Amino acid sequence: MSDELFKALADPTRRKILDELSERSGQTLFEICARLVSKHAVSMSRQAISQHLAVLETAGLVESRREGRQKFHHMNPAPLRHITERWLRPDERKSSP
């Protein structure tokens, strides 16, 4: 899981997607694309952004839910907490069951 997580975080576009989802959770692909263009001047096809979202989902950083024809994306910070606790709080990890 850590390899997928670091791979996902290595790309600047994926980090910008996470920035946008942490600022406003529950966005559609269209909304994410619009925000990337307007706020970060990232101009990519929706298909390319969709592939970045798939990498983030594989790493567990993004979760999605469908409502009708819409798919809403949410950031999941749990994997980030796991890797920070790995090095910042190793004693707590050893003492937990």
Side-chain angles (χ1 to χ4, degrees), residues 13-81:
T13 300
R14 289 194 282 268
R15 291 193 303 267
K16 288 175 183 160
I17 291 171
L18 290 175
D19 288 342
E20 291 305 317
L21 289 175
S22 70
E23 187 175 307
R24 194 168 78 83
S25 189
Q27 295 184 60
T28 64
L29 175 61
F30 179 79
E31 292 170 321
I32 293 168
C33 291
R35 289 173 69 103
L36 288 175
V37 168
S38 66
K39 291 180 69 179
H40 303 283
V42 173
S43 181
M44 292 183 153
S45 68
R46 289 195 325 178
Q47 184 177 10
I49 299 300
S50 180
Q51 289 173 344
H52 282 299
L53 282 167
V55 172
L56 292 168
E57 283 188 272
T58 299
L61 291 167
V62 170
E63 296 175 341
S64 61
R65 65 176 165 76
R66 282 206 172 272
E67 282 185 24
R69 296 177 64 184
Q70 301 275 349
K71 186 175 181 182
F72 297 92
H73 303 277
H74 304 268
M75 182 179 165
N76 176 16
L80 295 175
R81 282 192 205 107

